[in-house]
Amino acid sequence: MFFVRTANDRDVEPLRALLTQSFHATYDRFYGPAKVAELIAAWHSPAEIKRRIHVKGGEYLVADDGKRIGGMAFAAISEKLTKTAILHQLYVHPDHQRQGIGRDLFAEIETCFPDAEILRLEVEPQNAGAIAFYEAHDFVEVDRTKNCGCPDSGIEAVIMEKPLK
């Protein structure tokens, strides 16, 4: 059984391993392994994971069973959008999907931003499983971007939102 808790610095390497496996399992079919490896190096370096764990106005959660991390979620208050929290990441290890870990992480992340009125995220348009998960949690498509994750990424994404209040 996995329990949701706040991430700490001891989690950096297990998180990097989880994100590497999850990213390849999810995105290799869309972008190819070489591009995914490039994204992992840029977005999931130990320094970047540690930075996110400590980001002011953010919450970095892990689902932990005492032996391994089965999933993670990271969200933070938007610096640009009023009363909006951004769900930057929600990943479950491929071996532990469809066991409620994503649901539990999501339920906890929703409670972490009491002043936010909107939860927003970006998702790969071809990732039907993720889109269905978010739609099941009351998200709706509000826009699209050609630069998911960072300016000039060139990665398309569906922007989805959910009211929190």
Side-chain angles (χ1 to χ4, degrees), residues 34 48 57 84 105 114 127 131-132:
E48 181 60 19
T84 301
L105 286 163
N127 192 346
I131 291 170

Side-chain angles (χ1 to χ4, degrees), residues 13 39 45:
E13 284 307 318
L39 293 171
S45 69

Side-chain angles (χ1 to χ4, degrees), residues 14 29 51 63 65 81 119 129:
R29 63 188 164 179
R51 182 192 71 76
D65 72 354
L81 301 169
L119 186 58

Side-chain angles (χ1 to χ4, degrees), residues 1-2 14 63-70:
M1 174 170 253
F2 287 88
D64 183 346
D65 72 354
K67 297 177 187 169
R68 65 193 170 275
I69 292 175

Side-chain angles (χ1 to χ4, degrees), residues 54-71:
H54 296 286
V55 80
K56 185 176 175 157
E59 188 64 42
Y60 204 123
L61 302 174
V62 295
D64 183 346
D65 72 354
K67 297 177 187 169
R68 65 193 170 275
I69 292 175

Side-chain angles (χ1 to χ4, degrees), residues 19-30 36 92-94 97:
L19 288 164
T20 297
Q21 290 177 310
S22 296
F23 246 60
H24 278 294
T26 302
Y27 299 111
D28 279 4
R29 63 188 164 179
F30 305 133
V36 171
V92 175
H93 189 284
Q97 292 179 355

Side-chain angles (χ1 to χ4, degrees), residues 87-146:
L87 179 62
H88 293 280
Q89 299 173 302
L90 193 153
Y91 290 97
V92 175
H93 189 284
D95 293 345
H96 301 295
Q97 292 179 355
R98 305 215 187 302
Q99 296 176 16
I101 294 170
R103 178 199 64 226
D104 293 348
L105 286 163
F106 183 76
E108 183 66 24
I109 211 85
E110 280 187 303
T111 69
C112 292
F113 304 96
D115 295 330
E117 295 177 3
I118 296 169
L119 186 58
R120 180 178 245 220
L121 61 86
E122 296 176 349
V123 61
E124 160 61 50
Q126 298 176 79
N127 192 346
I131 291 170
F133 174 84
Y134 294 124
E135 287 175 341
H137 289 87
D138 301 321
F139 279 85
V140 296
E141 181 177 340
V142 296
D143 203 357
R144 295 201 172 217
T145 182
K146 293 188 184 286

